[in-house]
Amino acid sequence: MPKVFLSIQGLRGIAALLVVVHHYYATYGSIHKLAGGDLPWLLSYGNLAVFGAVGVPIFFVISGLVIGLQRFETGAAGIYDFMAKRLARIAPLYWVMTLAYVCWASQLWTWPQLGRSLLFVERPVTGELPALGVGWTLEYEMFFYMAFAVAVVSGIVGTRARGAAILISVFALMVYVNLSTDAAVFGFSGAPVILEFCGGLIIASTIQNRAVTRLWLPYLVVALAILFLSTTAFVGESRNVIFSMWGAGAFCLVFGLAAVEVEGRVFMRGRAFQMLGTASYAIYLVHLVLQGSLLKWPIWYWRWDEIIEPHLGLVLMVSFAASCGLVVHYGFEVWANAWFRRWLLQWSPTRLQLSHPQIADGDGPRIRAVAQEPS
């Protein structure tokens, strides 16, 4: 089992850039269309105009895989440490980018919406998008982390495998009930996208089985076939069908890339792929601030089709988002995450217990255990 899945890291970077392409079309593509200009030909075939959104299911499956492979202590202290590390990974940059977006790039927002967005509860409470649009995906991330902490990290159901199986079963049941009734009984928590996290957990639980990983090539072929078909007119424009195909394709793609590394092969080993993968979260958040900044200035917004040729505009936006994401990641995110993680973990029940004097049995001397930095 490799310590780091380089292929999955590279896939993160590609997923982030796909989301940038998707939002480029959603924002500037509509402007070109209204102005009578040409759209980038890459986005004019079948469902390719929205295909970039497949980056989100890929992120969700990878998140489930990462959490499924993570080591942790069980019990109440384990829950605190697990959630502290997850919050430190997600929150600092998201909070900063959300504030930057509402202060500089956003035109419509309210104080209550901002508060709910920073607490990751905008969509669960109101059903609307948070102040920084892509934040809805992070709300699902936090929800999945909390559910995983209760079902698995707590250890209340025994083994890790049993906890994961129960969690997956409960989520599957909630999604089934939501889809089989006119009213979404479970609302936010029963959305089908939660099954993509469960797919990652399934990969994590089976990836050490060589009989499974030996079939990495069929997984990748099936993944590419599903994702290709999702872009064609063959599947029509049904959102449910397209989203289901994206989820299945993302599952097979992540499974195949993880399996191929277990078998000793590595795709996307190059430095560029690894750097983009490392900075994928920053790219994912920063690009909306960049695009929103142009929307803030009407002279650029309404004349984009005259100032920038659409194909060149696509290349420029992807390049600019990647460059800014790398700068933000190495210049801020790495430091902010490390600082916030240390601050949260200093209140860990495990650390507080270790830092207090312990009395040995009988009349022995006092001993003090030295707290070590949690992994």
Side-chain angles (χ1 to χ4, degrees):
M1 175 75 71
K3 292 184 178 180
V4 178
F5 287 87
L6 298 178
S7 301
I8 301 299
Q9 186 78 326
L11 183 60
R12 284 182 191 267
I14 294 176
L17 295 183
L18 283 171
V19 175
V20 175
V21 172
H22 172 65
H23 287 144
Y24 174 86
Y25 173 80
T27 305
Y28 302 120
S30 60
I31 298 171
H32 281 291
K33 190 173 182 179
L34 289 173
D38 296 326
L39 289 174
W41 64 269
L42 284 173
L43 304 180
S44 60
Y45 171 77
N47 297 316
L48 275 178
V50 295
F51 179 71
V54 74
V56 172
I58 291 174
F59 277 132
F60 285 170
V61 176
I62 292 176
S63 291
L65 171 62
V66 170
I67 295 304
L69 294 176
Q70 190 173 26
R71 295 180 179 180
F72 49 78
E73 298 291 334
T74 58
I79 291 177
Y80 179 90
D81 291 349
F82 173 81
M83 289 304 301
K85 293 173 184 177
R86 292 296 91 204
L87 186 63
R89 176 68 182 88
I90 288 180
L93 185 60
Y94 174 64
W95 287 340
V96 170
M97 288 298 106
T98 296
L99 294 175
Y101 187 74
V102 300
C103 291
W104 172 249
S106 179
Q107 296 173 321
L108 298 174
W109 62 276
T110 64
W111 286 106
Q113 180 198 31
L114 177 60
R116 291 189 296 266
S117 298
L118 296 177
L119 293 174
F120 301 98
V121 296
E122 175 65 18
R123 192 148 190 163
V125 172
T126 68
E128 302 295 330
L129 290 177
L132 185 66
V134 295
W136 73 268
T137 63
L138 304 182
E139 293 174 348
Y140 274 106
E141 291 265 1
M142 293 303 298
F143 171 66
F144 173 71
Y145 296 155
M146 289 187 289
F148 184 86
V150 172
V152 182
V153 181
S154 67
I156 59 176
V157 295
T159 66
R160 179 183 187 133
R162 184 183 301 169
I166 292 175
L167 180 64
I168 293 172
S169 300
V170 171
F171 277 144
L173 178 61
M174 293 167 66
V175 172
Y176 173 77
V177 171
N178 261 17
L179 294 178
S180 60
T181 57
D182 294 333
V185 177
F186 292 104
F188 173 88
S189 57
V193 295
I194 203 68
L195 296 180
E196 292 159 5
F197 293 99
C198 296
L201 288 180
I202 293 173
I203 296 173
S205 65
T206 58
I207 201 65
Q208 298 186 57
N209 187 334
R210 297 299 294 271
V212 174
T213 59
R214 198 174 291 118
L215 300 175
W216 62 269
L217 184 57
Y219 299 147
L220 293 180
V221 171
V222 170
L224 295 178
I226 293 174
L227 294 177
F228 172 76
L229 287 175
S230 72
T231 67
T232 65
F234 174 77
V235 300
E237 298 181 357
S238 171
R239 293 170 60 90
N240 291 335
V241 173
I242 294 174
F243 291 168
S244 298
M245 295 183 74
W246 287 350
F251 172 80
C252 293
L253 182 60
V254 174
F255 207 153
L257 290 177
V260 76
E261 290 210 34
V262 174
E263 292 295 310
R265 300 175 176 85
V266 179
F267 296 149
M268 294 181 284
R269 187 195 296 269
R271 181 175 176 81
F273 284 114
Q274 295 305 305
M275 290 183 66
L276 287 174
T278 302
S280 59
Y281 183 55
I283 296 171
Y284 183 68
L285 296 182
V286 167
H287 84 276
L288 275 189
V289 179
L290 296 177
Q291 291 187 355
S293 297
L294 288 180
L295 296 181
K296 187 78 172 182
W297 302 96
I299 187 173
W300 288 96
Y301 177 72
W302 294 113
R303 296 186 57 199
W304 178 268
D305 62 297
E306 301 175 11
I307 298 171
I308 301 294
E309 195 273 336
H311 303 79
L312 176 61
L314 177 60
V315 173
L316 288 176
M317 181 55 66
V318 171
S319 302
F320 196 35
S323 301
C324 290
L326 287 167
V327 171
V328 169
H329 171 73
Y330 289 105
F332 172 77
E333 184 185 6
V334 172
W335 168 83
N337 288 1
W339 177 86
F340 195 43
R341 176 186 169 116
R342 287 194 301 269
W343 185 82
L344 288 175
L345 289 179
Q346 72 178 330
W347 307 107
S348 167
T350 303
R351 171 167 293 192
L352 292 176
Q353 182 179 9
L354 289 174
S355 63
H356 280 72
Q358 303 287 326
I359 304 298
D361 291 338
D363 297 326
R366 291 176 179 269
I367 58 174
R368 181 185 297 271
V370 179
Q372 300 294 327
E373 177 68 16
S375 60

